[in-house]
Amino acid sequence: MTDTEEFRPLQGVRVIDFTRLLAGPYATMTLAELGADVIKVEQPGIGDETRHWGPPFVHGASAYFHAINRGKRSIALDLADPADREVAHALIGTADVVVESFRPGVADRLGIGAGEMCERFPRLVYASISGFSQTGPLAAEPGTAVTVEAESGLMHVTGYEGADPVRSGVAMVDIATGMSMINGVLAALLERSRTGTGRRLEFSLFATAVSSLGTVIAATSAGGPPSKPWGSSHPSIVPYRAFAAADGQVVLGATNDAMFARLVTALDLGDVLGRPRWADNQARVEGRDELEAVVGSRVGSLAVDTVVSRLQEARVLVARVRTPEDAARGPQSRALDLIEHDDGVSIARSALGTNGTVRLARAPHLDADGAALRDELA
């Protein structure tokens, strides 16, 4: 296979998608990008509520919806209606994978729960995504990014000390949960190729968030200071944060002592920070405020381009703080072909390394494929 050929390893795999909002739809869109036939099941007349999360709207739905539902087919089914439930069962019978994001117990009540479906279709890989998992005291609570970030402790370490709690600028817990689901589904399909039997999988935003805090939990349990928000700083590395330059913002850092020495030289700070006092990272962490004030003053006197060029030449961590729009239009995104443009909306590809060889269709209109899919099942 050449680099220009389509990378579609899931060609022939069918996924029935009962998910909504972000984590599940992002995961199933990525499976579609890898070649799977993804059929999105939606509520008649309403559909996935993210269709209405706008403005802006393009092609009859929100830009948000288009960003995470491209390449799928849509069928509208009322799972409380026995006839539509039979259609859902028939679709599941043709599937390799089912993904659902109902609250615990709802899928069972609607007749598409994992227990019944896996018993009827033993080759099925059945994946559930929820906010707080299927068990535990919070299982029945609605779990979205903001509530999970609060309950997990992630919000506690985000933002600046003394300020109001801050959620992540993007729902990264949802994205990470979706990526975990992709990994689990791919592993289960591989296992099925050996055993002939599918598997039930469970994923939750809460488990993802707590897992992402692993280094924080380990540090505090080992006798480190209590957790707190650090802004753009790092609790154990100094300097390692954003600074204001004369005409913008830059991030810079020194992850080891040799890199710090190069940073000092590149910024002409040897008379202050070249002293033995600052030679090791522990001393720099202990003198954080004093050291960062010196670095901040020097960076503030220089243009962003000057800081970046000096530190890049010295092999020191440095980056401009860009807007998402700048990054999407920038040379690195263009080189990786990360953005696909479609008549008024720019779509970021998945991070699974398809190198722009797959062109996904637009997100479907509600029930756009309902008639065709019913005909296929007839």
Side-chain angles (χ1 to χ4, degrees), residues 133-159:
S133 195
Q134 306 294 309
T135 58
L138 293 176
E141 297 299 317
T144 63
V146 69
T147 59
V148 168
E149 287 186 29
E151 286 284 356
S152 67
L154 187 59
M155 189 176 288
H156 175 71
V157 297
T158 306

Side-chain angles (χ1 to χ4, degrees), residues 1-8 337 354-359:
M1 175 178 288
T2 68
D3 288 343
T4 58
E5 291 183 74
E6 285 194 343
F7 177 62
R8 299 181 70 81
D337 199 10
T354 56
N355 296 322
T357 59
V358 176
R359 301 291 172 182

Side-chain angles (χ1 to χ4, degrees), residues 252 260-275 294-295 297-299 301-302 306-307 310-311 314 316:
L252 60 83
F260 177 73
R262 297 197 299 272
L263 182 152
V264 169
T265 300
L267 294 181
D268 297 323
L269 292 173
D271 57 333
V272 181
L273 299 182
R275 302 169 186 171
V294 172
V295 173
S297 178
R298 176 53 54 86
V299 170
S301 69
L302 303 171
T306 301
V307 177
R310 285 192 188 185
L311 295 186
V316 174

Side-chain angles (χ1 to χ4, degrees), residues 13-84:
V13 172
R14 174 169 282 188
V15 179
I16 311 300
D17 179 7
F18 292 99
T19 68
R20 40 188 273 281
L21 302 180
L22 177 54
Y26 173 83
T28 54
M29 185 182 71
T30 303
L31 295 175
E33 190 169 349
L34 293 174
D37 174 23
V38 178
I39 299 170
K40 185 175 180 69
V41 180
E42 302 184 72
Q43 184 178 354
I46 299 174
D48 185 329
E49 56 260 56
T50 62
R51 286 182 177 275
H52 314 288
W53 283 9
F57 295 97
V58 289
H59 311 310
S62 69
Y64 187 109
F65 180 84
H66 282 280
I68 53 175
N69 285 285
R70 289 164 63 87
K72 305 176 186 181
R73 297 196 280 170
S74 172
I75 184 171
L77 296 175
D78 179 0
L79 297 177
D81 177 81
D84 276 6

Side-chain angles (χ1 to χ4, degrees), residues 92-163:
I92 292 171
T94 70
D96 299 281
V97 180
V98 166
V99 184
E100 62 88 9
S101 62
F102 296 106
R103 288 195 197 182
V106 172
D108 290 329
R109 188 165 69 247
L110 294 173
I112 59 163
E116 179 182 349
M117 294 299 97
C118 290
E119 183 176 353
R120 287 183 59 178
F121 309 109
R123 287 178 53 81
L124 190 66
V125 174
Y126 190 108
S128 298
I129 293 182
S130 61
F132 292 104
S133 195
Q134 306 294 309
T135 58
L138 293 176
E141 297 299 317
T144 63
V146 69
T147 59
V148 168
E149 287 186 29
E151 286 284 356
S152 67
L154 187 59
M155 189 176 288
H156 175 71
V157 297
T158 306
Y160 288 87
E161 191 172 14

